[in-house]
Amino acid sequence: MGMERGSFAARHDFDALPLSPDVDVRCAQFGEIAALSEMAHRLVPGVQIGAMELAKYFAFDPQSILAFTRNGNLLGGMAFLFLNDRGHDALLLDDISLTAPETHYLASANEDVSAIYIWAIAATGRGIAGLGKAAAHLRQIRFRGADCYAQPSTVAGREIMKATGFAPISSFQPDLWCYERPWHRQPMLMPGAITQPRSFSDARH
């Protein structure tokens, strides 16, 4: 995944990014796939996936490609691999081809999404503001249980990973970063954060 300029000075969890009113984010339409593919080739180093392959995955799961638009103009997009349990294991073991993943590793409509691999983010300038709404897309019931993974391919991509709560993890897959969903994390016990409901304390006397 890669991107152009646009610095992320403020650090926000991916799931806490603001929903910018400037940029509309929605599932891509079939007619946008070629333009999104071209954008990815231009902005993301090493992208090997062409419009035909992208269209194939889009047909398999139309929710896996988002378009970022402003006043009807395409600013960029984001593509995901929604992995089932087998795909999640294959990702960590470096057993999956991330340029041409086999569809049996992808979650079908009736399978749980076990992991979300961010395949590519291609956005310029203001398009980056669409990330908050992209994260909201991934908070739908179908995706909520899945942590997110990515492999940054540019310095800017790495900066965005760092700024949105991703961290490198040890796996056989080289340079794999993971973002653990906030609701999966161990709660931090903070003094005063946990107050006894009155009824409990009253019941003791």
Side-chain angles (χ1 to χ4, degrees):
M1 76 181 250
M3 8 239 339
E4 267 200 85
R5 296 172 301 281
S7 76
F8 257 75
R11 294 182 177 266
H12 282 289
D13 247 23
F14 185 57
D15 277 301
L17 289 171
L19 305 181
S20 164
D22 284 356
V23 180
D24 293 312
V25 175
R26 51 167 174 72
C27 292
Q29 293 159 2
F30 188 76
E32 293 168 324
I33 297 293
L36 287 169
S37 169
E38 187 277 323
M39 233 174 222
H41 278 267
R42 193 159 39 92
L43 296 173
V44 186
V47 164
Q48 294 170 354
I49 192 139
M52 299 254 310
E53 290 96 343
L54 206 54
K56 179 181 117 177
Y57 290 104
F58 177 72
F60 182 82
D61 195 334
Q63 288 194 302
S64 64
I65 302 174
L66 297 181
F68 296 5
T69 62
R70 184 159 186 262
N71 303 330
N73 296 320
L74 198 58
L75 298 179
M78 201 160 172
F80 309 99
L81 297 175
F82 298 129
L83 303 172
N84 56 24
D85 285 341
R86 289 187 306 279
H88 191 175
D89 287 345
L91 175 68
L92 297 175
L93 295 170
D94 194 16
D95 276 344
I96 186 173
S97 157
L98 290 170
T99 47
E102 301 89 335
T103 47
H104 66 256
Y105 285 141
L106 304 180
S108 59
N110 57 3
E111 273 182 307
D112 284 342
V113 176
S114 178
I116 296 164
Y117 179 77
I118 299 175
W119 214 9
I121 298 177
T124 56
R126 293 193 91 122
I128 300 300
L131 278 179
K133 287 180 178 170
H137 175 72
L138 299 178
R139 285 195 291 278
Q140 295 176 81
I141 288 292
R142 183 179 173 215
F143 309 124
R144 276 180 70 86
D147 290 334
C148 300
Y149 295 84
Q151 287 172 299
S153 58
T154 62
V155 172
R158 191 172 292 261
E159 286 308 306
I160 284 189
M161 299 271 86
K162 282 186 196 156
T164 53
F166 283 76
I169 59 164
S170 61
S171 70
F172 291 99
Q173 183 73 246
D175 203 25
L176 188 65
W177 292 50
C178 178
Y179 166 76
E180 191 181 12
R181 307 305 281 270
W183 40 90
H184 286 170
R185 297 175 205 161
Q186 292 297 320
M188 300 266 293
L189 294 178
M190 310 227 342
I194 298 178
T195 54
Q196 281 279 6
R198 268 205 101 87
S199 55
F200 284 149
S201 48
D202 291 347
R204 281 204 300 269
H205 298 301

